[in-house]
């Protein structure tokens, strides 16, 4: 029974990620072809800043919610507590961003893109509790519909405008906002049957404090991974140039796509390991996960380096291939470590050892799988 459910979940999650990757690549390729390098770099810099901040604002509560729902705790109470946290923290951040833009227009005049893309990313952040609810209940069919809407809307619209030669910065920002808002509305609609009761948001100070305390050890992990996941993008955009960031972000996007197997298995491992740990207390027989993941990671890295220069130069008219050959080599060398670290992290998280999770992230990891999946769904 467990095996059948596991393979069904893997199949659904695989389909979801393939759809997201295809449309994400279509968006990325269309923007790189249709927009100036500087504009493309500025969009990527804005996304990096927003995803870093919103990743930190979760405080690790999203992963705690998945674990507790999978363990059978009251889903409605947990969902309501996390939703309040997301609404309050996200609103405060965007108000501060808007206030800074109004008070210091001379310093932030070039970061107007950040303000408009922030509207869409705020909607994505608000949709997080609905997705975590579906993930904790292992309703991966519902999670798939929640996760693919934005990319399908944005990918289709951007490609149509590129073919019509009407892709501009204004139209791109409008499409991003519409796509992300659509995902939020779909998440709200699909989550109604998951709660098994009318949708309510109830403030309970005691529950909010307890949830924050339980996620506190995980907060260090979240802050570390959120900062490291896009810190290089932010630095390149600030210290070098938007054009250089466009080149680097193109290489990094392909690297993220090549971690597709990790993105497929990572969201499934947390509830699976938690359930097995609760039943038997022994998850050591799952080492085959690690063996196959490291083998797959090594093969993908090898193939990526062999095909990079001729294939990418052909697809981008010599724009992003040779210039990123060394970059993709360094990035791909970290693939086996990503799989290895994720396996160790999931075990410790299922065993409720958050301190060990933090140390493992600090030593090995650069982009926790949940973070990578969220990033992949944004462009």
């Amino acid at each position: 029974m467990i095996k059948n459910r596991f393979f069904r979940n893997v199949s659904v999650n695989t389909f979801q990620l393939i759809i997201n990757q295809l449309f994400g690549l279509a968006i990325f390729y269309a923007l790189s072809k249709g927009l100036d390098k500087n504009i493309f770099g500025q969009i990527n810099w804005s996304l990096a800043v927003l995803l870093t901040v919103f990743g930190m604002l979760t405080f690790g509560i999203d992963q705690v919610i998945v674990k507790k729902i999978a363990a059978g705790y009251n889903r409605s109470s947990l969902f309501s507590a996390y939703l309040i946290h997301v609404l309050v923290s996200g609103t405060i951040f965007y108000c501060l961003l808007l206030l800074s833009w109004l008070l210091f227009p001379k310093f932030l005049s070039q970061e107007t893109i950040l303000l408009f893309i922030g509207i869409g990313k705020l909607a994505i952040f608000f949709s997080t509790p609905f997705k975590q609810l579906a993930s904790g209940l292992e309703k991966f069919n519902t999670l798939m519909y929640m996760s693919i809407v934005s990319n399908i809307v944005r990918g289709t619209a951007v490609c149509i405008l590129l073919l019509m030669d009407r892709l501009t910065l204004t139209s791109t920002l409008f499409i991003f906002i519409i796509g992300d808002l659509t995902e939020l509305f779909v998440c709200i609609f699909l989550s109604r049957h998951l709660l098994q009761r009318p949708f309510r948001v109830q403030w309970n100070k005691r529950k909010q404090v307890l949830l924050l305390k339980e996620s506190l050890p995980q907060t260090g992990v979240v802050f570390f991974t959120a900062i490291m996941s896009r810190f290089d993008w932010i630095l390149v955009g600030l210290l070098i140039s938007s054009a250089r960031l466009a080149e680097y972000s193109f290489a990094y996007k392909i690297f993220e796509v090549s971690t597709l197997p990790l993105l497929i298995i990572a969201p499934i491992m947390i509830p699976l390991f938690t359930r097995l740990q609760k039943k038997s207390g022994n998850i050591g027989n799952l080492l085959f996960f690690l063996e196959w993941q490291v083998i797959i990671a090594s093969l993908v890295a090898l193939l990526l380096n062999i095909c990079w220069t001729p294939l990418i130069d052909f697809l981008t008219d010599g724009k992003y291939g040779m210039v990123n050959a060394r970059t993709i080599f360094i990035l791909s060398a970290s693939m086996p470590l990503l799989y290895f670290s994720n396996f160790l992290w999931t075990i410790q998280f299922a065993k409720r050892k958050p301190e060990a999770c933090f140390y493992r992230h600090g030593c090995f990891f650069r982009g926790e799988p949940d973070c990578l999946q969220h990033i992949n769904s944004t462009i």
Side-chain angles (χ1 to χ4, degrees), residues 109-214:
S109 58
Q110 296 181 352
E111 275 66 50
T112 306
I113 295 176
L114 181 69
L115 194 65
F116 286 97
I117 292 183
I119 298 174
K121 296 310 140 197
L122 183 63
I124 293 292
F125 185 58
F126 286 164
S127 69
T128 305
F130 304 96
K131 295 176 184 176
Q132 301 308 99
L133 175 65
S135 180
L137 294 173
E138 298 186 75
K139 301 294 184 180
F140 289 100
N141 280 316
T142 302
L143 180 62
M144 177 188 67
Y145 298 130
M146 291 178 175
S147 302
I148 65 176
V149 173
S150 180
N151 270 350
I152 290 177
V153 172
R154 289 183 291 147
T156 302
V158 167
C159 289
I160 291 175
L161 289 180
L162 178 66
L163 293 175
M164 297 173 61
D165 198 24
R166 300 185 64 179
L167 187 62
T168 63
L169 175 60
T170 302
S171 62
T172 299
L173 295 177
F174 179 77
I175 290 170
F176 270 55
I177 294 173
I178 293 299
D180 293 342
L181 288 175
T182 302
E183 181 170 306
L184 174 60
F185 294 144
V186 170
C187 287
I188 294 173
F189 177 79
L190 293 178
S191 65
R192 294 180 301 173
H193 72 283
L194 299 179
L195 290 172
Q196 297 181 342
R197 62 178 60 188
F199 178 80
R200 294 177 181 176
V201 179
Q202 297 178 336
W203 169 260
N204 188 313
K205 183 179 178 180
R206 180 175 173 273
K207 291 181 180 180
Q208 296 292 145
V209 173
L210 289 175
L211 191 60
L212 284 172
K213 285 183 177 180
E214 185 170 352

Side-chain angles (χ1 to χ4, degrees), residues 45-103:
W45 185 84
S46 299
L47 287 170
V49 171
L50 292 168
L51 294 174
T52 298
V53 173
F54 285 130
M56 295 170 64
L57 288 178
T58 64
F59 287 93
I61 298 177
D62 52 343
Q63 296 156 6
V64 173
I65 290 293
V66 171
K67 183 180 71 172
K68 292 180 76 69
I69 292 177
Y73 288 85
N74 189 314
R75 69 185 70 171
S76 180
S77 177
L78 290 168
F79 170 80
S80 180
Y82 184 41
L83 181 61
I84 291 174
H85 169 81
V86 165
L87 292 174
V88 172
S89 60
T91 302
I92 291 175
F93 164 72
Y94 192 80
C95 288
L96 290 175
L97 180 64
L98 180 61
L99 184 62
S100 299
W101 183 77
L102 293 174
L103 293 178

Side-chain angles (χ1 to χ4, degrees), residues 267-314:
I268 299 173
M269 287 172 63
I270 294 178
L272 174 64
F273 280 30
T274 301
R275 188 170 64 252
L276 293 177
Q277 174 67 21
K278 184 179 179 181
K279 287 184 177 180
S280 63
N282 180 20
I283 54 180
N285 58 349
L286 296 174
L287 285 175
F288 72 92
F289 271 95
L290 179 61
E291 296 172 357
W292 282 104
Q293 287 176 32
V294 172
I295 291 173
I296 292 173
S298 301
L299 291 176
V300 170
L302 179 62
L303 183 63
L304 186 62
N305 281 277
I306 292 174
C307 300
W308 178 262
T309 300
L311 180 61
I312 300 301
D313 273 338
F314 172 76

